[in-house]
Amino acid sequence: MTRNVKRIALTAAAGASILALGLTGCATGDNSPSGDDKGGDDSRALRVWAGSQTPITANFNPYAPTVLHGALGPIYETLFVFNKTADTDPVGLVGDSYEFNEDGTVITVKIKGDQKWSDGEPLTAADVAFTFQYEGNNPEGQGLVSAEATDDTTVVLTYETPQFTNAFQRLGATWVLPEHVWKDIDNFTEIANEEPVGSGAYVVDNVTSESYTLVANENFRDADSLGVKTVQYIAVDNNQTAQDLLAAGELDWAGMFIPNPESVTGNGKIEWLNTPQDPTVLYTCSNADLGCVGAQTDVAVRQALNVAIDRATINEKAFVGLTGEISPTFALIPRDERWVADEANKISPQSADAAAAGKILEEAGYAKGSDGFYAKDGKTLELDMVSVDGWTDYNDAGKLIAEQAAEAGIKVNASTVQWNEFSDGRQTGEYELIMGGVVGTSVADPFQIYRDWIGGEKVQSTAKVGEEVPAGRWNFSRYSNPVVDDAILAASATDDEATKKELYGTIQSEIVRDLPYIPLVINATQTFYNAKDFTGWPTEDDLYAFPPSWGSGSAGYILTQLKPAN
């Protein structure tokens, strides 16, 4: 099987933020940070929202949960970039082409020749072979037999089992490492890696608590054609301030939710796209056997809360109608519709059913008290739910869920926390409910979610409460179901569509019942970009890559396609 690669009005608060951040200006001879109407200038920094993680701490370690966005794509690259917005062939980055053998156990990868690392050392197939053998990319259970560089541009990857379904994970989600740097790094999850050596288009220039700046890598393979020479990532601690900066022309690229997009497009510079991709869910720490505590460890509670939620109202009031309907199977509808085994599981219920929620709880031994809330063994059914402070859409959705749950007799305490507390809580499993996102699949197939977010102990995608989830895996719910795990492992070993659909049906039946993540909506995934000063962006007519500024891998590829407008 061969895959041919294709080439394919500013508020006072925001004003104070701009001054404090010290935004990088341009050399157009006026006092405007963006050059106003004077067109593009290749010395002008492209200003990107770094998110609400403040203050910024220098961390360019691709294995760290708090890694800065600029590390994943702009600095470190994968072999190929996959376009999650369409079912198309991947584009070669370090890699040039790849081919499976007949049974899918061997992948032969050709990389581009004459490449260098950012420190000037040669980048060869030996680095790629090292990368795939490195502990951070090859945890126990991955089934790698060998990774051999047969010449400077060819690497042969041999696995115990077929890897057809794992093509994205292996080739589009493995960050290529320089052997001469990483061969001596054992504590790969702990280091900050403040001076990273990568193959991407950019290197680190400086980091402050408010922003960090990347500049063009002179050793990048396409350095001569790189249009954007400087990228400044700016962190502000809430969506509203970032929105004000966009409206003022002080940010050029942001992936964020804005309920009224016209508020930032009126300046004549900013345009926007909506590409719903990623599920928004309630993480539940679900498995008491792995250390989870709280009422949400009872599957009946999760089932009752699921039917108590009015998703249509949440979409309308919290997300102003911009989100998509979610499937409890986590197949992206309509893109992945062919993988839904049972039509009844195609879409989660859109309206609330308090009576059904009550019936589920009563059958599980709960009784409604005089206060209107259910209780069991003398203990009121009460859940703590958090979302990140400043994520206004999630915060509003959390309040609605608390109200809807109360109508069904379930007490939900909605509150907000800072990003670091959110990140720590889901990593360690020390929470009850968290409103957060699931990274959608990068190909038209839900397998990636099943393995990385739902796979349990046998798949090595989760850990006991108090321990961090394995690097590169995301099962924060601590869900571990051997029936699901066996189906995931079997699906990874076949390229037969009928067999995969049968296995997916098994997975779907289990997770629709167990609800380790309670589905809410498909996130709006809005992207705002400065189309006046820079060209080459993904557009509705040419959606060549997943467009948000935080897109892992794809953001680095987009930066290489941009040019200052003349």
Side-chain angles (χ1 to χ4, degrees):
M1 174 179 169
T2 302
R3 300 294 299 271
N4 295 319
V5 179
K6 292 184 178 180
R7 304 291 182 189
I8 52 172
L10 183 62
T11 65
S17 297
I18 294 169
L19 293 174
L21 293 173
L23 300 180
T24 301
C26 68
T28 57
D30 66 7
N31 294 321
S32 167
S34 59
D36 288 335
D37 296 324
K38 297 193 176 186
D41 181 341
D42 63 9
S43 66
R44 143 92 143 93
L46 179 83
R47 294 185 293 264
V48 183
W49 184 35
S52 55
Q53 183 179 342
T54 58
I56 287 175
T57 300
N59 191 323
F60 297 96
N61 177 2
Y63 302 105
T66 55
V67 61
L68 296 172
H69 293 157
L72 305 181
I75 294 174
Y76 288 103
E77 295 182 299
T78 54
L79 289 166
F80 302 88
V81 61
F82 289 70
N83 183 1
K84 68 187 299 181
T85 64
D87 189 8
T88 57
D89 288 334
V91 173
L93 299 176
V94 173
D96 193 54
S97 65
Y98 67 91
E99 182 177 0
F100 283 101
N101 70 341
E102 186 173 353
D103 68 2
T105 58
V106 177
I107 313 173
T108 301
V109 181
K110 297 289 292 185
I111 69 170
K112 296 182 175 78
D114 299 323
Q115 297 185 83
K116 292 182 179 180
W117 295 105
S118 57
D119 63 0
E121 291 293 315
L123 189 169
T124 71
D127 292 295
V128 178
F130 166 81
T131 294
F132 278 85
Q133 295 175 87
Y134 187 67
E135 182 182 1
N137 296 323
N138 188 35
E140 184 180 351
Q142 292 298 296
L144 181 70
V145 175
S146 64
E148 181 183 2
T150 56
D151 58 44
D152 283 350
T153 59
T154 307
V155 63
V156 178
L157 307 173
T158 303
Y159 291 87
E160 295 174 354
T161 59
Q163 298 296 303
F164 297 120
T165 315
N166 293 327
F168 166 75
Q169 180 69 21
R170 304 292 179 245
L171 308 176
T174 302
W175 304 105
V176 183
L177 305 173
E179 181 178 9
H180 65 281
V181 174
W182 284 81
K183 65 181 180 180
D184 297 322
I185 298 176
D186 296 323
N187 57 336
F188 63 91
T189 61
E190 301 173 11
I191 65 168
N193 195 33
E194 296 180 25
E195 298 180 0
V197 175
S199 62
Y202 296 92
V203 295
V204 177
D205 183 49
N206 64 75
V207 181
T208 72
S209 59
E210 295 88 13
S211 69
Y212 61 99
T213 302
L214 308 182
V215 296
N217 170 14
E218 64 181 12
N219 291 309
F220 179 57
R221 59 185 171 272
D222 296 321
D224 292 342
S225 62
L226 196 62
V228 174
K229 307 297 186 184
T230 305
V231 184
Q232 186 182 27
Y233 288 82
I234 301 157
V236 290
D237 58 9
N238 63 77
N239 284 25
Q240 184 58 56
T241 303
Q243 181 176 335
D244 293 337
L245 292 171
L246 274 170
E250 302 297 345
L251 281 178
D252 301 307
W253 192 13
M256 60 183 295
F257 177 77
I258 297 180
N260 50 338
E262 65 279 359
S263 67
V264 299
T265 59
N267 59 19
K269 293 183 177 182
I270 303 299
E271 295 184 6
W272 73 291
L273 286 169
N274 184 19
T275 53
Q277 293 283 323
D278 298 323
T280 292
V281 302
L282 290 180
Y283 302 148
T284 78
C285 193
S286 63
N287 192 335
D289 290 341
L290 290 182
C292 294
V293 295
Q296 81 291 340
T297 60
D298 185 345
V299 67
V301 171
R302 301 197 297 271
Q303 292 171 347
L305 183 56
N306 179 60
V307 298
I309 293 171
D310 186 338
R311 292 169 176 81
T313 297
I314 289 171
N315 177 34
E316 177 186 355
K317 292 187 176 181
F319 299 101
V320 295
L322 291 173
T323 60
E325 293 180 342
I326 194 168
S327 171
T329 69
F330 290 98
L332 181 63
I333 305 299
R335 189 194 69 177
D336 305 342
E337 193 165 347
R338 66 191 174 108
W339 295 116
V340 177
D342 184 345
E343 187 71 14
N345 294 330
K346 182 176 175 180
I347 297 294
S348 289
Q350 295 302 296
S351 57
D353 191 338
K359 183 179 180 181
I360 292 169
L361 291 172
E362 288 164 10
E363 290 178 350
Y366 293 82
K368 186 176 284 189
S370 59
D371 60 358
F373 293 108
Y374 280 94
K376 187 176 183 179
D377 299 329
K379 187 174 183 180
T380 299
L381 174 50
E382 185 172 358
L383 297 164
D384 291 333
M385 176 181 65
V386 300
S387 59
V388 176
D389 187 33
W391 292 10
T392 53
D393 49 345
Y394 279 23
N395 303 159
D396 291 344
K399 295 174 185 176
L400 290 168
I401 289 172
E403 294 170 3
Q404 294 163 2
E407 293 178 5
I410 303 169
K411 188 174 184 179
V412 173
N413 304 313
S415 62
T416 63
V417 296
Q418 294 300 307
W419 163 264
N420 287 341
E421 187 176 347
F422 160 86
S423 180
D424 290 345
R426 68 177 189 172
Q427 274 290 336
T428 61
E430 294 169 350
Y431 71 92
E432 293 182 351
L433 298 174
I434 291 177
M435 184 175 296
V438 170
V439 177
T441 58
S442 297
V443 292
D445 184 332
F447 177 79
Q448 183 185 338
I449 289 179
Y450 295 158
R451 182 194 56 213
D452 295 352
W453 291 83
I454 296 170
E457 293 175 287
K458 291 174 72 173
V459 180
Q460 298 186 316
S461 292
T462 196
K464 294 179 180 179
V465 169
E467 300 176 4
E468 289 198 355
V469 170
R473 299 297 173 92
W474 309 95
N475 185 350
F476 301 123
S477 73
R478 269 64 188 177
Y479 181 66
S480 189
N481 180 333
V483 174
V484 170
D485 283 1
D486 287 344
I488 290 171
L489 294 171
S492 71
T494 181
D495 198 36
D496 181 76
E497 185 169 323
T499 302
K500 283 174 61 177
K501 187 167 182 176
E502 182 179 355
L503 292 165
Y504 288 3
T506 298
I507 296 168
Q508 292 165 10
S509 295
E510 296 290 308
I511 65 174
V512 169
R513 181 196 65 225
D514 291 346
L515 295 163
Y517 303 95
I518 297 176
L520 298 176
V521 296
I522 297 295
N523 199 18
T525 317
Q526 291 168 280
T527 302
F528 297 85
Y529 57 94
N530 183 341
K532 182 176 181 180
D533 295 336
F534 298 92
T535 64
W537 300 100
T539 63
E540 288 186 2
D541 294 331
D542 183 17
L543 204 56
Y544 65 82
F546 186 51
S549 56
W550 45 260
S552 178
S554 60
Y557 177 60
I558 290 171
L559 285 172
T560 66
Q561 306 302 301
L562 300 181
K563 303 289 183 185
N566 294 318

